Amino acid sequence: MSEVHAARRARLRARCSSAGSVAALVSRPANVRYLAGSAPAQAVLLVGHSGGDVLVGHWDPAGDPAGPRPADDDGLRRVALEGDTDPAVTAVALAAEGGAEAVAVEEHHLTVARHRALAAGAPGLRLTDLDCAVERQRLVKDEDEIAALRVAAEITDRALGELLESILVGRTERHLALELERRLVDHGADGPAFPTSVATGSHSGLAGHRPSDRRVEEGDFLTVRLGARFRGYRCQIGRTFVIGTSPADWQIELYEVVFAAQRAAREALAPGTEYRAVDRAAREVLAAAGHGTALGPVTGHGVGLEIGEDPRLAPAAMGRLGPCVPVTVEPGVHLPGRGGVRIDDTLVVRSPADGGPELLTITTKELLAL
Amino acid sequence: MSEVHAARRARLRARCSSAGSVAALVSRPANVRYLAGSAPAQAVLLVGHSGGDVLVGHWDPAGDPAGPRPADDDGLRRVALEGDTDPAVTAVALAAEGGAEAVAVEEHHLTVARHRALAAGAPGLRLTDLDCAVERQRLVKDEDEIAALRVAAEITDRALGELLESILVGRTERHLALELERRLVDHGADGPAFPTSVATGSHSGLAGHRPSDRRVEEGDFLTVRLGARFRGYRCQIGRTFVIGTSPADWQIELYEVVFAAQRAAREALAPGTEYRAVDRAAREVLAAAGHGTALGPVTGHGVGLEIGEDPRLAPAAMGRLGPCVPVTVEPGVHLPGRGGVRIDDTLVVRSPADGGPELLTITTKELLAL
């Protein structure tokens, strides 16, 4: 595992030297984890230091023995701090001592106050912007990362499947959400990938709905969105069901539209396809059915160590998909006062020669009456 | 409710004008919530603008009807944005248009990248540092805030009490944590105040232990830390139990030491007492028993809209307690390989004339054998 992290750091170092910077300071937690393996909260990583890469942080002396400060034999030196010192200040001072002329920092993460402290602590050193170099590196997943996402998706499908076999009428959104999260953990997840969303009746189809005390009733649309976190990797599934024996005509019609939009976007996934083209595929289907404004800013997004990563499948997004990039495809329509439909999968982009996009979340997308 | 928020904004405006700044931009979510009531994620608040206070954010058109964009009739103007515009950039541009010479921003929150964008969007405007003005204002709670904390504590005590009546041996830390969180919600919490910690056997007593698959066994120390969130307000309780019929001598001794340290700190709580004196009271008791280094950086901290707020009850902390300041008192000792004890309460500082510190978390601190 540590060779994987060392290789990732080597790629980052190479990009930084080609850009002229001598060292890079990584501070966003998911980025630190990607490059260093486990790290204490708030730890930072200095890459390209003349003495080798350094992880600076606070390892709690009374800390969890399940996560001790590891030996430095994996090529990554660790500097443990006491008290309240900002690891970033220490790391930049180390870079200066090591003769660095400049350090590229994550300006989209460091606060103004921390940045001032870095500059004050190493006055001769130039601070530049690393920008989203690590996020871009994280875009394409290796086979171990994809394997972790597969397990996360299996756990997620199982938890959802079990819930569908239980009685739903009369239960609150909140309880169903808690139940789903418990089942994720039962089946081996580290925890949920994000707060589970359960929305029934006129709440159904709302993006980002937080579960309330509303109870499921006969005739409701019920939309559920959940995901497992496994070895740090997060996936996402969303499904819509009808409660009771037979859906109403408006429900069948709306479901077919959203299903068609989601399928169009899924089928657009291929190496070389523009991010905006995937988004457009879903948006056009919805617009043709009169729901052009329903979609929201994105049709989907990347997943990995974070549930919302590059790429964004959005109208103005620049860039093209490549193989081994996992993304969600999650369009939906909400009709105020009535409810709506959301259908959401996690897939890995693959070339047609490799079978096209690999669907990770395999729970049926047929409209089920529960 | 909106008069409360308007009054809080008026206090902030007064502090800013006395300091010379014309307007203040509040961006930290808890601070925005404190001053504006509910607000969408990422919304920012401009206070002291010539046209009146403004809340700038993205209200999702397909957003949750439970949290609609309210009317502007509470004295707070709302500006709703489309697309991906940073509300902070819009707010600063509004301030410039309104004739402000300077805007104080939260440099401990805004990233370097966002700050650059603000400056670029309003080139003639001076950006200064608001520092922790809002956090300091949040220190002393009003009676409604304390009432919310009381309810949060009652919910927390109930959830913990129910768990203690159930069978614990053989259950994993993870499952017990999930069970506690479910019960918090059952009893009316919005959700947990922070991730619940359950630590058994040699994990017990670890600060910040994340629940694992370790199962509770006879003879274990079991430490539990949890808290409810109610109307946004968060409290915290921590207790240590022995599993089985009779604790070992070392367990009784260690428990008595930590209990004495926690009691000393609780009894030190009074208006006018230095933060560092409360911390010292606990630290001295532990040191006298040979556990001087066990405590970690703080003995306790403030609670409110965030679970970790000012003040910090720490050795170098500057400042004195006042009435109506809620704090935790949470010392502990962990013996590597054996386990340990943590005892943690939430209390509200009150003058002796008002009965001394008001204990919110009333679950017994007697060492129970379960």
Side-chain angles (χ1 to χ4, degrees):
Chain A
M1 241 354 233
S2 58
E3 304 84 30
V4 167
H5 299 115
R8 290 172 182 170
R9 294 193 300 273
R11 271 189 68 192
L12 181 65
R13 269 199 308 280
R15 291 172 76 162
C16 291
S17 356
S18 74
S21 291
V22 180
L25 178 73
V26 181
S27 54
R28 276 198 72 215
N31 291 342
V32 173
R33 180 169 180 168
Y34 178 75
L35 294 168
S38 68
Q42 316 292 338
V44 303
L45 181 67
L46 182 68
V47 168
H49 178 249
S50 61
D53 301 333
V54 190
L55 182 67
V56 186
H58 298 271
W59 277 265
D60 185 358
D64 197 330
R69 177 183 154 176
D72 295 341
D73 57 3
D74 60 353
L76 179 61
R77 183 158 70 103
R78 287 159 179 81
V79 172
L81 302 181
E82 306 281 333
D84 281 336
T85 317
D86 181 351
V89 170
T90 302
V92 165
L94 280 173
E97 283 165 31
E101 293 172 3
V103 176
V105 302
E106 294 186 311
E107 288 193 355
H108 60 294
H109 176 248
L110 285 180
T111 66
V112 173
R114 291 182 78 190
H115 194 267
R116 287 198 200 287
L118 297 195
L125 196 65
R126 196 162 42 96
L127 297 178
T128 62
D129 188 12
L130 186 59
D131 202 8
C132 296
V134 184
E135 285 86 347
R136 284 192 292 270
Q137 201 174 315
R138 285 167 47 199
L139 209 85
V140 175
K141 272 60 178 180
D142 63 31
E143 280 309 315
D144 285 327
E145 295 181 285
I146 292 175
L149 284 168
R150 276 197 203 101
V151 175
E154 284 163 16
I155 291 170
T156 306
D157 280 322
R158 282 181 76 182
L160 181 56
E162 285 179 3
L163 192 82
L164 304 187
E165 292 168 7
S166 60
I167 292 172
L168 301 175
V169 171
R171 298 175 71 185
T172 68
E173 295 174 344
R174 225 190 274 273
H175 270 113
L176 291 173
L178 280 171
E179 183 63 29
L180 283 166
E181 295 192 350
R182 189 178 68 77
R183 290 175 186 274
L184 290 174
V185 171
D186 280 354
H187 292 302
D190 303 335
F194 54 88
T196 299
S197 180
V198 176
T200 200
S202 64
H203 289 167
S204 62
L206 281 169
H209 173 73
R210 274 176 276 168
S212 72
D213 292 318
R214 172 171 292 188
R215 293 180 190 277
V216 174
E217 296 179 17
E218 288 272 341
D220 277 358
F221 257 146
L222 175 70
T223 56
V224 176
R225 183 156 75 164
L226 71 155
R229 189 175 85 246
F230 182 76
R231 279 202 240 125
Y233 284 83
R234 303 169 191 252
C235 78
Q236 186 176 305
I237 191 178
R239 292 290 185 266
T240 302
F241 313 102
V242 168
I243 306 299
T245 47
S246 49
D249 287 346
W250 75 271
Q251 291 177 316
I252 296 175
E253 274 174 44
L254 188 61
Y255 194 89
E256 287 178 347
V257 170
V258 177
F259 180 89
Q262 204 251 3
R263 181 180 54 201
R266 279 190 284 112
E267 292 177 348
L269 296 176
T273 304
E274 288 184 315
Y275 301 152
R276 53 175 70 178
V278 178
D279 174 83
R280 192 164 54 238
R283 232 170 264 276
E284 282 175 349
V285 172
L286 292 179
H291 298 295
T293 54
L295 189 47
V298 298
T299 290
H301 55 79
V303 297
L305 287 173
E306 293 176 289
I307 194 58
E309 300 195 353
D310 290 337
R312 291 177 82 238
L313 306 177
M318 302 296 296
R320 296 174 184 273
L321 293 169
C324 303
V325 174
V327 293
T328 68
V329 174
E330 52 178 295
V333 173
H334 170 77
L335 304 175
R338 305 196 75 183
V341 175
R342 300 206 83 81
I343 302 175
D344 182 355
D345 283 313
T346 302
L347 307 96
V348 181
V349 176
R350 302 279 190 194
S351 70
D354 288 331
E358 177 187 352
L359 178 68
L360 299 186
T361 44
I362 62 173
T363 297
T364 184
K365 284 186 278 291
E366 192 188 327
L367 176 59
L368 299 178
L370 303 175
Chain B
M1 241 357 232
S2 59
E3 303 84 31
V4 168
H5 299 114
R8 291 173 181 169
R9 294 194 300 273
R11 270 188 68 190
L12 181 65
R13 268 201 307 281
R15 289 172 77 159
C16 289
S17 356
S18 72
S21 293
V22 181
L25 178 73
V26 181
S27 53
R28 277 197 73 217
N31 291 341
V32 173
R33 181 170 179 169
Y34 178 75
L35 295 168
S38 68
Q42 317 291 337
V44 303
L45 179 68
L46 183 69
V47 169
H49 178 250
S50 61
D53 301 334
V54 190
L55 183 66
V56 186
H58 296 269
W59 277 266
D60 185 358
D64 196 330
R69 177 183 154 175
D72 295 341
D73 58 1
D74 60 352
L76 180 61
R77 184 158 69 101
R78 286 160 179 80
V79 171
L81 302 180
E82 305 283 332
D84 281 336
T85 318
D86 182 351
V89 171
T90 302
V92 166
L94 279 173
E97 284 164 31
E101 293 172 1
V103 176
V105 301
E106 293 186 310
E107 290 193 352
H108 59 293
H109 176 247
L110 285 180
T111 66
V112 174
R114 290 183 79 190
H115 194 265
R116 288 198 201 287
L118 298 194
L125 195 66
R126 194 161 44 94
L127 297 178
T128 63
D129 188 14
L130 184 59
D131 202 9
C132 296
V134 185
E135 284 87 345
R136 283 192 292 270
Q137 201 174 315
R138 284 167 48 198
L139 209 84
V140 175
K141 272 61 177 178
D142 63 32
E143 279 309 313
D144 284 327
E145 295 181 285
I146 292 176
L149 284 168
R150 275 196 205 101
V151 176
E154 284 164 15
I155 291 170
T156 306
D157 280 322
R158 283 181 76 182
L160 182 56
E162 285 179 3
L163 192 82
L164 304 189
E165 291 166 9
S166 59
I167 293 171
L168 302 174
V169 171
R171 296 175 72 185
T172 68
E173 293 175 344
R174 228 191 271 275
H175 270 112
L176 291 174
L178 280 170
E179 183 63 29
L180 282 166
E181 294 191 352
R182 188 177 70 76
R183 289 175 187 275
L184 289 175
V185 170
D186 279 354
H187 291 301
D190 303 335
F194 53 89
T196 300
S197 180
V198 176
T200 199
S202 65
H203 289 167
S204 63
L206 281 168
H209 173 74
R210 274 174 277 167
S212 71
D213 292 318
R214 172 172 292 192
R215 293 181 189 277
V216 175
E217 296 180 17
E218 288 272 341
D220 277 357
F221 258 146
L222 174 70
T223 55
V224 175
R225 181 155 76 165
L226 71 154
R229 189 174 84 246
F230 183 77
R231 279 202 240 124
Y233 284 83
R234 303 167 191 255
C235 78
Q236 185 177 305
I237 192 177
R239 292 289 185 266
T240 301
F241 312 101
V242 168
I243 305 300
T245 48
S246 51
D249 287 345
W250 74 271
Q251 291 176 317
I252 296 176
E253 275 175 41
L254 188 62
Y255 193 90
E256 286 178 349
V257 170
V258 177
F259 180 90
Q262 204 251 4
R263 180 179 55 201
R266 279 189 285 113
E267 290 177 352
L269 296 175
T273 303
E274 288 184 314
Y275 301 152
R276 53 175 70 179
V278 178
D279 175 84
R280 193 163 54 236
R283 229 170 266 275
E284 282 175 347
V285 172
L286 292 178
H291 299 294
T293 52
L295 189 47
V298 297
T299 291
H301 54 75
V303 296
L305 288 173
E306 294 176 289
I307 195 56
E309 299 195 355
D310 291 336
R312 292 177 82 237
L313 306 177
M318 303 296 295
R320 294 173 185 273
L321 293 167
C324 303
V325 174
V327 293
T328 68
V329 176
E330 51 179 297
V333 173
H334 170 75
L335 305 175
R338 304 196 75 183
V341 175
R342 299 205 85 80
I343 303 175
D344 182 355
D345 283 312
T346 301
L347 307 95
V348 180
V349 176
R350 301 280 190 194
S351 71
D354 288 331
E358 177 185 352
L359 179 68
L360 300 186
T361 45
I362 64 173
T363 297
T364 184
K365 284 185 280 291
E366 193 186 328
L367 176 58
L368 300 177
L370 303 176

